[in-house]
Amino acid sequence: MNMKTNILVYACTALLSFTSCENWLNQNDPRELSEEQAYSSITSISSIAASLYNRIKLDQDFVADNESYDICRWDEATSNSYYWQFSSNVGRTYRNYYDYNLIRDINIHIKNLSEKASELPNNQRSYFLGEARFLRAFTYFNMVKNLGGVPLITEVYDYNTTPIEYAKPRDTEAAVYEFIAREMDEVKEALDIAPQGSSLLTRATKASALALKSRAMLYAGTLAYNEDKNRTMGLTLESGAVGIPKSKAVEYLQSCVDAYLELKAIGRYALLKGTGGSLGENYSNVFVTKTNNPELIFIRDYDGSTDFPNNFTVWNIPRSQRSTANFGAHINPTLNLVESFGLANSASTALDAYVGDEVIESMGSETSTHNYILYDSPMGIFEGRDPRLWGTVILPGTEFRGKEVLLQAGLAVKTASGYDLKMLDLIENVYDTNKNFYNGQQLTSIDGPIRNSYYTSHTGFLLRKYVDTAVGSEASGKSSVPYIIFRYGEILLNAAEAAYYLNSLGVADYQGSSTLQLALDCLNELRERAGGTDFRIESSDLTLALLQNERKIELAFEDHRFYDMKRWRLADQIWSGDWNTATARMTGLWPYKVYAPGQPENGKWLFRRVYIEHRGNDNEKGLPIRFGQDMYYAEYPMTEGNPYIEKNPKH
């Protein structure tokens, strides 16, 4: 058997009763053993499982720098690089994930567990089999959400014969989603670790099986719900390899709700509450707290060691707090995202920077005659916003690790006709007192924002979510913050959306409850945790647009946005590649301190909406975000010589 066994990034916080954390982290290499020996020992079987876990694809990875660029491709954030070219204008091969090598190795693992692990106690053997089927289903989910239907292979074939004998066409998109849900239903009890009294986060459990079912059935249910859109857009194949009939929508959406109700009944999972000095800090703590965090269901763990490093914090720590040159401020949240965090009692989400109509300015403007609204502090413009904004984004003038992050673009020197905008051209000059001061007043802060230079903000914002608050974690690889694959907050949103669709499809009641009330309860549980009772909504205010925005802000930077926009069939409209589409333009918000000695404006703050420049070749405004209809399904790999495989639509 040729399997990798270096587990690299998987650790445990608490494990099954039949293995210890130390054994899970330090496994023997089963390649030194015969198959019979490898499958007679819990330790060696765990080594094989660890290798398989390590090969599961996560589109955002806290170890590899190139993986974190995916966070910057869409409307949540941009990169700190002033010449960054890639933005979101990617091709149809983007995320065309296809890994039958992993499927084959999992199938071999399942076969060997069935045939060679008879010496193990039944409950342990059942767990390992269920775990392997979970990993296989997760891999198929990674493929189907990108490619549509793929061949479902669950057997081990002998490739000593002609491979073409085993070639088969793509299974329908519906069949792959149904396979995932069915597998999770069949293995969930074997994965139930409650009898052992453990709370396992890094290996498959009943809860992670239900979470996978919840997500997969929401995706499938949405695609079925949107069948009319799919046909109008030409996103179906007569074979069913792409496209799901609307007749299946109710079944799938009910399965999503079922998964939520069953996971909730376990009684071990809930939203993390009451851990911070503010609601925003409480939300932020969800993503840096591993111990006693009831929201976590399944994570990729790190301990900050050489074997299990996490580089996310060293890349994203504010420049003013970095310990290593050429790092920091990598991911810059956009104004597009920030304005999605609304007010408690208003449907409007636009920030008020100007008197009258809002405008968008060039980063490099040296003067301005615009009429700005002036605020007493850098935080004034954000007052009353959903506290999750503070917990997600480092805003101007807020603290990180107990230190203020100023985020000042420059001084706005009052003139008779407007303002002279004095700011640095290179962030390196921030340390030069001759260049960074005007009449004793600092121009640009060490954290930016600034038009040119790396490792500083370009948008006026920095990332807080997932950035480690522990001192020392800003050193290379030293963060122990986990990457969350499934958490309870997502499951609530999945159920809320599924219940909303069910109600719109005429299913007013399910499992003895009103579907509309279920959607409202799940949504308000999150909104009340986020902002208190003022942020609860009534049924009359519940719309699909509100649910969609709730996912955008609650799940920001957790790699949901791309797939949500795809399954809603909105991506090509929102990210049209046209500057006339406001949602396709990426913008920032630059704070300036007003300099007007002896005048009432002195010391106040104004904010300029700015284009995110240097995206592609258009340096004045930057290229708009483009998602083509040919990207709803990635280009199907056609390199294996399978004559039965048909291409995806529009390819």
Side-chain angles (χ1 to χ4, degrees), residues 60 71 76 215 218-219 271 283 286-287 295 337 341 388 392 465-466 483-494 497 526 529 547-564 567-568:
Q60 293 172 192
I71 301 176
E76 293 176 323
R215 188 185 295 178
L218 177 65
Y219 280 31
L271 297 179
Y283 175 76
V286 171
F287 306 96
E295 193 156 346
L337 173 66
F341 293 83
R388 284 174 292 188
T392 304
K465 195 171 189 177
Y466 276 129
Y483 177 77
I484 300 172
I485 301 169
F486 294 117
R487 65 179 175 95
Y488 191 67
E490 181 208 339
I491 309 308
L492 285 170
L493 285 170
N494 294 350
E497 188 178 340
L526 278 164
R529 188 270 293 271
L547 280 163
Q548 290 170 340
N549 191 69
E550 196 70 17
R551 287 186 71 91
K552 181 179 182 181
I553 60 179
E554 174 70 28
L555 302 175
F557 304 109
E558 296 180 55
D559 200 35
H560 292 274
R561 179 72 173 157
F562 175 71
Y563 293 108
D564 284 345
R567 64 185 176 83
W568 292 329

Short mmCIF file of all heavy atoms in Angstrom, two decimals, residues 60 71 76 215 218-219 271 283 286-287 295 337 341 388 392 465-466 483-494 497 526 529 547-564 567-568:
data_model
loop_
_atom_site.label_atom_id
_atom_site.label_comp_id
_atom_site.label_asym_id
_atom_site.label_seq_id
_atom_site.Cartn_x
_atom_site.Cartn_y
_atom_site.Cartn_z
N GLN A 60 -9.21 27.07 1.64
CA GLN A 60 -8.42 28.03 2.41
C GLN A 60 -7.63 27.24 3.45
O GLN A 60 -8.20 26.49 4.23
CB GLN A 60 -9.32 29.06 3.09
CG GLN A 60 -10.00 29.96 2.08
CD GLN A 60 -11.05 30.87 2.68
OE1 GLN A 60 -11.82 31.48 1.96
NE2 GLN A 60 -11.09 30.97 3.99
N ILE A 71 -9.11 33.95 -0.36
CA ILE A 71 -9.95 34.85 0.42
C ILE A 71 -10.05 36.21 -0.28
O ILE A 71 -11.03 36.93 -0.12
CB ILE A 71 -9.38 35.01 1.84
CG1 ILE A 71 -9.31 33.65 2.56
CG2 ILE A 71 -10.21 35.98 2.66
CD1 ILE A 71 -8.69 33.71 3.92
N GLU A 76 -15.02 40.03 -0.49
CA GLU A 76 -14.75 40.14 0.94
C GLU A 76 -13.47 40.93 1.22
O GLU A 76 -13.38 41.64 2.22
CB GLU A 76 -14.64 38.75 1.57
CG GLU A 76 -15.93 37.98 1.58
CD GLU A 76 -15.77 36.57 2.13
OE1 GLU A 76 -14.73 35.93 1.87
OE2 GLU A 76 -16.69 36.11 2.83
N ARG A 215 -24.95 20.75 5.10
CA ARG A 215 -24.42 21.62 4.05
C ARG A 215 -24.72 21.05 2.66
O ARG A 215 -25.15 21.79 1.77
CB ARG A 215 -22.91 21.82 4.23
CG ARG A 215 -22.33 22.87 3.30
CD ARG A 215 -20.81 22.96 3.41
NE ARG A 215 -20.36 23.42 4.71
CZ ARG A 215 -19.08 23.55 5.05
NH1 ARG A 215 -18.12 23.22 4.17
NH2 ARG A 215 -18.74 23.98 6.25
N LEU A 218 -28.40 21.42 1.76
CA LEU A 218 -28.76 22.80 1.44
C LEU A 218 -28.30 23.14 0.02
O LEU A 218 -29.05 23.74 -0.75
CB LEU A 218 -28.13 23.77 2.44
CG LEU A 218 -28.39 25.26 2.12
CD1 LEU A 218 -29.87 25.58 2.24
CD2 LEU A 218 -27.57 26.17 3.02
N TYR A 219 -27.07 22.76 -0.32
CA TYR A 219 -26.57 23.02 -1.66
C TYR A 219 -27.47 22.35 -2.71
O TYR A 219 -27.90 22.98 -3.68
CB TYR A 219 -25.15 22.50 -1.81
CG TYR A 219 -24.06 23.38 -1.25
CD1 TYR A 219 -24.28 24.20 -0.14
CD2 TYR A 219 -22.80 23.40 -1.80
CE1 TYR A 219 -23.29 24.99 0.38
CE2 TYR A 219 -21.79 24.21 -1.29
CZ TYR A 219 -22.04 25.00 -0.20
OH TYR A 219 -21.04 25.79 0.32
N LEU A 271 -24.09 28.06 20.36
CA LEU A 271 -23.29 29.24 20.04
C LEU A 271 -22.43 29.62 21.23
O LEU A 271 -22.86 29.51 22.38
CB LEU A 271 -24.20 30.40 19.66
CG LEU A 271 -25.08 30.22 18.43
CD1 LEU A 271 -25.95 31.46 18.22
CD2 LEU A 271 -24.24 29.95 17.19
N TYR A 283 -17.97 37.47 19.64
CA TYR A 283 -18.00 36.85 18.31
C TYR A 283 -16.59 36.54 17.84
O TYR A 283 -16.32 35.46 17.31
CB TYR A 283 -18.71 37.77 17.32
CG TYR A 283 -18.68 37.26 15.90
CD1 TYR A 283 -19.51 36.21 15.50
CD2 TYR A 283 -17.81 37.80 14.97
CE1 TYR A 283 -19.48 35.73 14.19
CE2 TYR A 283 -17.77 37.33 13.66
CZ TYR A 283 -18.60 36.29 13.29
OH TYR A 283 -18.54 35.81 12.00
N VAL A 286 -14.97 33.29 18.98
CA VAL A 286 -15.39 32.01 18.38
C VAL A 286 -14.24 31.40 17.58
O VAL A 286 -14.06 30.18 17.56
CB VAL A 286 -16.61 32.21 17.46
CG1 VAL A 286 -16.92 30.95 16.66
CG2 VAL A 286 -17.83 32.64 18.28
N PHE A 287 -13.43 32.23 16.95
CA PHE A 287 -12.46 31.77 15.97
C PHE A 287 -11.05 31.62 16.52
O PHE A 287 -10.16 31.18 15.80
CB PHE A 287 -12.48 32.72 14.77
CG PHE A 287 -13.86 32.88 14.23
CD1 PHE A 287 -14.66 33.94 14.61
CD2 PHE A 287 -14.40 31.91 13.39
CE1 PHE A 287 -15.96 34.05 14.16
CE2 PHE A 287 -15.70 32.01 12.94
CZ PHE A 287 -16.49 33.08 13.32
N GLU A 295 -19.32 25.74 20.02
CA GLU A 295 -19.71 26.00 18.64
C GLU A 295 -18.94 25.14 17.64
O GLU A 295 -19.40 24.90 16.53
CB GLU A 295 -19.52 27.48 18.32
CG GLU A 295 -20.18 27.90 17.03
CD GLU A 295 -20.50 29.39 17.00
OE1 GLU A 295 -20.45 30.03 18.05
OE2 GLU A 295 -20.81 29.89 15.91
N LEU A 337 -17.73 44.56 1.85
CA LEU A 337 -18.09 43.69 2.97
C LEU A 337 -18.54 44.51 4.17
O LEU A 337 -19.57 44.21 4.79
CB LEU A 337 -16.90 42.82 3.36
CG LEU A 337 -17.10 41.97 4.63
CD1 LEU A 337 -18.18 40.91 4.42
CD2 LEU A 337 -15.78 41.32 5.06
N PHE A 341 -22.67 44.91 7.04
CA PHE A 341 -23.02 44.82 8.46
C PHE A 341 -23.95 45.98 8.78
O PHE A 341 -23.53 47.14 8.83
CB PHE A 341 -21.76 44.89 9.33
CG PHE A 341 -20.86 43.70 9.19
CD1 PHE A 341 -19.94 43.62 8.16
CD2 PHE A 341 -20.92 42.65 10.11
CE1 PHE A 341 -19.10 42.53 8.02
CE2 PHE A 341 -20.08 41.55 9.98
CZ PHE A 341 -19.18 41.49 8.93
N ARG A 388 -20.75 42.21 14.99
CA ARG A 388 -19.90 41.27 14.26
C ARG A 388 -18.92 41.98 13.34
O ARG A 388 -17.89 41.41 12.96
CB ARG A 388 -20.78 40.30 13.46
CG ARG A 388 -21.43 39.23 14.32
CD ARG A 388 -22.40 38.39 13.52
NE ARG A 388 -23.58 39.14 13.11
CZ ARG A 388 -24.65 38.61 12.53
NH1 ARG A 388 -24.69 37.31 12.28
NH2 ARG A 388 -25.69 39.35 12.20
N THR A 392 -15.01 40.99 13.16
CA THR A 392 -14.50 40.47 11.90
C THR A 392 -13.38 41.32 11.33
O THR A 392 -12.40 40.79 10.78
CB THR A 392 -15.65 40.40 10.87
OG1 THR A 392 -16.72 39.60 11.39
CG2 THR A 392 -15.17 39.80 9.54
N LYS A 465 -10.72 38.55 12.16
CA LYS A 465 -11.21 37.18 12.27
C LYS A 465 -10.07 36.19 12.00
O LYS A 465 -9.36 36.31 10.99
CB LYS A 465 -12.34 36.97 11.27
CG LYS A 465 -13.18 35.71 11.48
CD LYS A 465 -14.39 35.75 10.56
CE LYS A 465 -15.39 34.67 10.85
NZ LYS A 465 -16.60 34.76 10.00
N TYR A 466 -9.90 35.24 12.86
CA TYR A 466 -8.90 34.18 12.76
C TYR A 466 -7.48 34.66 13.07
O TYR A 466 -6.55 33.86 13.04
CB TYR A 466 -8.90 33.53 11.37
CG TYR A 466 -9.91 32.42 11.17
CD1 TYR A 466 -10.77 32.44 10.06
CD2 TYR A 466 -9.99 31.35 12.05
CE1 TYR A 466 -11.68 31.41 9.85
CE2 TYR A 466 -10.91 30.33 11.84
CZ TYR A 466 -11.75 30.36 10.75
OH TYR A 466 -12.66 29.33 10.54
N TYR A 483 -8.50 26.06 11.96
CA TYR A 483 -9.37 26.40 10.84
C TYR A 483 -10.67 25.64 11.03
O TYR A 483 -10.68 24.41 11.15
CB TYR A 483 -8.74 26.03 9.50
CG TYR A 483 -9.68 26.33 8.35
CD1 TYR A 483 -9.85 27.63 7.92
CD2 TYR A 483 -10.45 25.33 7.77
CE1 TYR A 483 -10.74 27.94 6.90
CE2 TYR A 483 -11.34 25.63 6.75
CZ TYR A 483 -11.48 26.93 6.32
OH TYR A 483 -12.38 27.23 5.33
N ILE A 484 -11.78 26.36 11.05
CA ILE A 484 -13.08 25.76 11.34
C ILE A 484 -13.71 25.26 10.04
O ILE A 484 -13.97 26.05 9.12
CB ILE A 484 -14.00 26.76 12.04
CG1 ILE A 484 -13.39 27.21 13.36
CG2 ILE A 484 -15.38 26.14 12.27
CD1 ILE A 484 -14.15 28.34 14.04
N ILE A 485 -13.97 23.98 9.98
CA ILE A 485 -14.62 23.38 8.82
C ILE A 485 -16.14 23.39 9.00
O ILE A 485 -16.87 23.76 8.09
CB ILE A 485 -14.09 21.95 8.59
CG1 ILE A 485 -12.58 21.98 8.38
CG2 ILE A 485 -14.79 21.29 7.38
CD1 ILE A 485 -11.91 20.62 8.39
N PHE A 486 -16.60 22.99 10.17
CA PHE A 486 -18.02 23.06 10.50
C PHE A 486 -18.18 23.67 11.89
O PHE A 486 -17.45 23.30 12.81
CB PHE A 486 -18.67 21.66 10.52
CG PHE A 486 -18.73 20.98 9.19
CD1 PHE A 486 -18.06 19.79 8.98
CD2 PHE A 486 -19.47 21.51 8.14
CE1 PHE A 486 -18.10 19.13 7.75
CE2 PHE A 486 -19.53 20.86 6.91
CZ PHE A 486 -18.85 19.68 6.72
N ARG A 487 -19.12 24.58 12.03
CA ARG A 487 -19.48 25.11 13.35
C ARG A 487 -20.99 25.26 13.44
O ARG A 487 -21.70 25.30 12.42
CB ARG A 487 -18.78 26.43 13.64
CG ARG A 487 -19.15 27.61 12.75
CD ARG A 487 -18.38 28.86 13.17
NE ARG A 487 -18.61 30.01 12.30
CZ ARG A 487 -19.51 30.96 12.53
NH1 ARG A 487 -20.30 30.90 13.61
NH2 ARG A 487 -19.63 31.97 11.70
N TYR A 488 -21.48 25.35 14.67
CA TYR A 488 -22.92 25.36 14.90
C TYR A 488 -23.60 26.56 14.25
O TYR A 488 -24.74 26.46 13.78
CB TYR A 488 -23.19 25.33 16.40
CG TYR A 488 -24.63 25.08 16.77
CD1 TYR A 488 -25.23 23.85 16.51
CD2 TYR A 488 -25.40 26.07 17.37
CE1 TYR A 488 -26.56 23.61 16.85
CE2 TYR A 488 -26.72 25.85 17.72
CZ TYR A 488 -27.30 24.62 17.44
OH TYR A 488 -28.61 24.39 17.78
N GLY A 489 -22.91 27.71 14.21
CA GLY A 489 -23.49 28.90 13.59
C GLY A 489 -23.89 28.66 12.14
O GLY A 489 -24.94 29.12 11.69
N GLU A 490 -23.04 27.94 11.41
CA GLU A 490 -23.39 27.63 10.02
C GLU A 490 -24.62 26.74 9.95
O GLU A 490 -25.49 26.94 9.08
CB GLU A 490 -22.23 26.92 9.30
CG GLU A 490 -22.56 26.61 7.85
CD GLU A 490 -21.84 25.39 7.28
OE1 GLU A 490 -20.81 25.00 7.84
OE2 GLU A 490 -22.32 24.83 6.28
N ILE A 491 -24.71 25.76 10.83
CA ILE A 491 -25.84 24.83 10.79
C ILE A 491 -27.15 25.57 11.03
O ILE A 491 -28.18 25.25 10.40
CB ILE A 491 -25.64 23.70 11.82
CG1 ILE A 491 -24.26 23.06 11.67
CG2 ILE A 491 -26.74 22.65 11.68
CD1 ILE A 491 -23.92 22.59 10.26
N LEU A 492 -27.14 26.56 11.91
CA LEU A 492 -28.33 27.37 12.12
C LEU A 492 -28.72 28.11 10.84
O LEU A 492 -29.90 28.17 10.47
CB LEU A 492 -28.09 28.39 13.24
CG LEU A 492 -28.08 27.85 14.67
CD1 LEU A 492 -27.59 28.91 15.64
CD2 LEU A 492 -29.47 27.37 15.08
N LEU A 493 -27.74 28.66 10.15
CA LEU A 493 -28.03 29.37 8.90
C LEU A 493 -28.51 28.43 7.82
O LEU A 493 -29.41 28.77 7.03
CB LEU A 493 -26.78 30.11 8.43
CG LEU A 493 -26.43 31.39 9.21
CD1 LEU A 493 -25.05 31.89 8.81
CD2 LEU A 493 -27.48 32.47 8.96
N ASN A 494 -27.93 27.24 7.75
CA ASN A 494 -28.39 26.24 6.78
C ASN A 494 -29.86 25.91 7.00
O ASN A 494 -30.66 25.87 6.06
CB ASN A 494 -27.56 24.96 6.89
CG ASN A 494 -26.11 25.15 6.50
OD1 ASN A 494 -25.73 26.19 5.95
ND2 ASN A 494 -25.29 24.15 6.78
N GLU A 497 -32.28 28.86 6.10
CA GLU A 497 -32.50 29.03 4.66
C GLU A 497 -33.35 27.90 4.10
O GLU A 497 -34.27 28.13 3.30
CB GLU A 497 -31.16 29.09 3.93
CG GLU A 497 -31.28 29.46 2.47
CD GLU A 497 -29.94 29.57 1.77
OE1 GLU A 497 -28.91 29.73 2.44
OE2 GLU A 497 -29.91 29.46 0.52
N LEU A 526 -28.79 33.55 16.08
CA LEU A 526 -27.51 34.13 15.68
C LEU A 526 -27.49 35.64 15.85
O LEU A 526 -26.51 36.21 16.34
CB LEU A 526 -27.23 33.79 14.21
CG LEU A 526 -26.64 32.42 13.94
CD1 LEU A 526 -26.80 32.07 12.47
CD2 LEU A 526 -25.17 32.39 14.33
N ARG A 529 -27.17 36.65 19.52
CA ARG A 529 -25.81 36.44 20.00
C ARG A 529 -24.90 37.56 19.48
O ARG A 529 -23.99 38.03 20.15
CB ARG A 529 -25.29 35.08 19.54
CG ARG A 529 -23.92 34.66 20.14
CD ARG A 529 -22.71 35.10 19.32
NE ARG A 529 -22.60 34.45 18.03
CZ ARG A 529 -21.95 33.31 17.83
NH1 ARG A 529 -21.37 32.68 18.82
NH2 ARG A 529 -21.88 32.82 16.60
N LEU A 547 -31.59 36.77 4.52
CA LEU A 547 -30.91 35.51 4.82
C LEU A 547 -29.57 35.44 4.10
O LEU A 547 -28.57 34.99 4.67
CB LEU A 547 -31.79 34.33 4.41
CG LEU A 547 -32.91 33.94 5.36
CD1 LEU A 547 -33.92 33.04 4.64
CD2 LEU A 547 -32.36 33.22 6.58
N GLN A 548 -29.55 35.88 2.86
CA GLN A 548 -28.31 35.84 2.10
C GLN A 548 -27.27 36.78 2.69
O GLN A 548 -26.09 36.44 2.78
CB GLN A 548 -28.61 36.19 0.63
CG GLN A 548 -29.39 35.11 -0.09
CD GLN A 548 -29.90 35.54 -1.45
OE1 GLN A 548 -30.00 36.74 -1.74
NE2 GLN A 548 -30.23 34.58 -2.30
N ASN A 549 -27.71 37.96 3.12
CA ASN A 549 -26.77 38.89 3.73
C ASN A 549 -26.27 38.38 5.07
O ASN A 549 -25.12 38.60 5.45
CB ASN A 549 -27.41 40.27 3.90
CG ASN A 549 -26.40 41.32 4.28
OD1 ASN A 549 -25.55 41.71 3.49
ND2 ASN A 549 -26.47 41.78 5.53
N GLU A 550 -27.16 37.69 5.78
CA GLU A 550 -26.76 37.13 7.08
C GLU A 550 -25.63 36.12 6.90
O GLU A 550 -24.69 36.07 7.71
CB GLU A 550 -27.96 36.47 7.76
CG GLU A 550 -27.76 36.20 9.23
CD GLU A 550 -27.74 37.46 10.08
OE1 GLU A 550 -28.18 38.52 9.61
OE2 GLU A 550 -27.25 37.38 11.24
N ARG A 551 -25.69 35.31 5.87
CA ARG A 551 -24.59 34.37 5.61
C ARG A 551 -23.32 35.12 5.24
O ARG A 551 -22.22 34.73 5.64
CB ARG A 551 -24.97 33.40 4.48
CG ARG A 551 -25.99 32.35 4.86
CD ARG A 551 -26.20 31.35 3.74
NE ARG A 551 -25.06 30.47 3.55
CZ ARG A 551 -24.91 29.29 4.16
NH1 ARG A 551 -25.82 28.86 5.03
NH2 ARG A 551 -23.85 28.55 3.90
N LYS A 552 -23.48 36.20 4.49
CA LYS A 552 -22.30 36.97 4.08
C LYS A 552 -21.52 37.49 5.29
O LYS A 552 -20.29 37.42 5.32
CB LYS A 552 -22.72 38.12 3.17
CG LYS A 552 -21.57 38.97 2.66
CD LYS A 552 -22.06 40.09 1.75
CE LYS A 552 -20.88 40.92 1.21
NZ LYS A 552 -21.34 42.02 0.34
N ILE A 553 -22.23 38.02 6.29
CA ILE A 553 -21.53 38.64 7.41
C ILE A 553 -21.16 37.63 8.50
O ILE A 553 -20.08 37.70 9.07
CB ILE A 553 -22.34 39.82 7.99
CG1 ILE A 553 -23.71 39.37 8.50
CG2 ILE A 553 -22.48 40.91 6.96
CD1 ILE A 553 -24.54 40.51 9.09
N GLU A 554 -22.03 36.67 8.77
CA GLU A 554 -21.74 35.69 9.81
C GLU A 554 -20.61 34.76 9.39
O GLU A 554 -19.78 34.36 10.22
CB GLU A 554 -22.99 34.88 10.14
CG GLU A 554 -22.79 33.72 11.10
CD GLU A 554 -22.50 34.13 12.53
OE1 GLU A 554 -22.95 35.24 12.94
OE2 GLU A 554 -21.83 33.36 13.25
N LEU A 555 -20.56 34.40 8.12
CA LEU A 555 -19.60 33.40 7.64
C LEU A 555 -18.46 34.01 6.83
O LEU A 555 -17.74 33.30 6.13
CB LEU A 555 -20.33 32.36 6.79
CG LEU A 555 -21.47 31.60 7.47
CD1 LEU A 555 -22.17 30.68 6.48
CD2 LEU A 555 -20.97 30.81 8.67
N ALA A 556 -18.25 35.31 6.93
CA ALA A 556 -17.20 35.98 6.17
C ALA A 556 -15.85 35.33 6.44
O ALA A 556 -15.52 34.98 7.58
CB ALA A 556 -17.14 37.46 6.53
N PHE A 557 -15.08 35.13 5.40
CA PHE A 557 -13.72 34.56 5.44
C PHE A 557 -13.69 33.10 5.86
O PHE A 557 -12.64 32.59 6.23
CB PHE A 557 -12.81 35.39 6.34
CG PHE A 557 -12.74 36.84 5.93
CD1 PHE A 557 -13.33 37.82 6.71
CD2 PHE A 557 -12.12 37.21 4.75
CE1 PHE A 557 -13.31 39.15 6.32
CE2 PHE A 557 -12.09 38.54 4.35
CZ PHE A 557 -12.68 39.52 5.14
N GLU A 558 -14.83 32.41 5.80
CA GLU A 558 -14.88 30.99 6.13
C GLU A 558 -15.10 30.14 4.87
O GLU A 558 -15.44 28.96 4.96
CB GLU A 558 -15.97 30.72 7.17
CG GLU A 558 -15.71 31.40 8.51
CD GLU A 558 -16.79 31.14 9.53
OE1 GLU A 558 -17.09 29.95 9.80
OE2 GLU A 558 -17.36 32.13 10.05
N ASP A 559 -14.91 30.74 3.70
CA ASP A 559 -14.99 30.07 2.41
C ASP A 559 -16.40 29.56 2.10
O ASP A 559 -16.58 28.44 1.63
CB ASP A 559 -13.98 28.93 2.30
CG ASP A 559 -13.73 28.55 0.84
OD1 ASP A 559 -13.74 29.46 -0.01
OD2 ASP A 559 -13.54 27.37 0.55
N HIS A 560 -17.38 30.39 2.36
CA HIS A 560 -18.76 30.10 1.98
C HIS A 560 -19.25 31.01 0.86
O HIS A 560 -20.13 30.64 0.09
CB HIS A 560 -19.71 30.24 3.18
CG HIS A 560 -19.50 29.21 4.24
ND1 HIS A 560 -20.11 27.98 4.20
CD2 HIS A 560 -18.75 29.22 5.36
CE1 HIS A 560 -19.73 27.27 5.25
NE2 HIS A 560 -18.91 28.01 5.96
N ARG A 561 -18.72 32.22 0.80
CA ARG A 561 -19.25 33.24 -0.10
C ARG A 561 -19.27 32.78 -1.55
O ARG A 561 -20.28 32.93 -2.25
CB ARG A 561 -18.41 34.52 0.06
CG ARG A 561 -18.84 35.68 -0.83
CD ARG A 561 -20.14 36.28 -0.37
NE ARG A 561 -20.45 37.50 -1.12
CZ ARG A 561 -21.68 37.98 -1.26
NH1 ARG A 561 -22.70 37.36 -0.71
NH2 ARG A 561 -21.89 39.09 -1.93
N PHE A 562 -18.17 32.22 -2.03
CA PHE A 562 -18.08 31.78 -3.42
C PHE A 562 -19.15 30.75 -3.74
O PHE A 562 -19.86 30.86 -4.76
CB PHE A 562 -16.68 31.21 -3.67
CG PHE A 562 -16.48 30.61 -5.02
CD1 PHE A 562 -16.41 31.41 -6.15
CD2 PHE A 562 -16.35 29.24 -5.19
CE1 PHE A 562 -16.22 30.86 -7.42
CE2 PHE A 562 -16.17 28.67 -6.44
CZ PHE A 562 -16.10 29.49 -7.56
N TYR A 563 -19.31 29.76 -2.87
CA TYR A 563 -20.27 28.68 -3.14
C TYR A 563 -21.71 29.15 -2.93
O TYR A 563 -22.61 28.69 -3.64
CB TYR A 563 -19.94 27.47 -2.28
CG TYR A 563 -18.63 26.84 -2.68
CD1 TYR A 563 -17.50 26.96 -1.88
CD2 TYR A 563 -18.51 26.17 -3.89
CE1 TYR A 563 -16.28 26.41 -2.27
CE2 TYR A 563 -17.30 25.62 -4.29
CZ TYR A 563 -16.19 25.75 -3.48
OH TYR A 563 -15.00 25.22 -3.89
N ASP A 564 -21.93 30.05 -1.99
CA ASP A 564 -23.27 30.59 -1.81
C ASP A 564 -23.72 31.35 -3.06
O ASP A 564 -24.84 31.17 -3.55
CB ASP A 564 -23.32 31.52 -0.60
CG ASP A 564 -23.33 30.76 0.72
OD1 ASP A 564 -23.58 29.54 0.72
OD2 ASP A 564 -23.07 31.40 1.77
N ARG A 567 -24.59 28.81 -5.87
CA ARG A 567 -25.82 28.03 -5.77
C ARG A 567 -27.08 28.92 -5.82
O ARG A 567 -28.14 28.46 -6.24
CB ARG A 567 -25.82 27.15 -4.52
CG ARG A 567 -25.81 27.91 -3.21
CD ARG A 567 -25.67 26.97 -2.01
NE ARG A 567 -25.57 27.71 -0.76
CZ ARG A 567 -26.62 28.17 -0.09
NH1 ARG A 567 -27.83 27.96 -0.54
NH2 ARG A 567 -26.44 28.83 1.03
N TRP A 568 -26.93 30.18 -5.43
CA TRP A 568 -28.05 31.11 -5.58
C TRP A 568 -28.21 31.58 -7.02
O TRP A 568 -29.17 32.26 -7.36
CB TRP A 568 -27.84 32.34 -4.69
CG TRP A 568 -27.93 32.05 -3.22
CD1 TRP A 568 -28.68 31.09 -2.61
CD2 TRP A 568 -27.23 32.74 -2.18
NE1 TRP A 568 -28.50 31.13 -1.25
CE2 TRP A 568 -27.62 32.14 -0.95
CE3 TRP A 568 -26.33 33.80 -2.14
CZ2 TRP A 568 -27.12 32.57 0.29
CZ3 TRP A 568 -25.83 34.23 -0.92
CH2 TRP A 568 -26.23 33.62 0.28
#
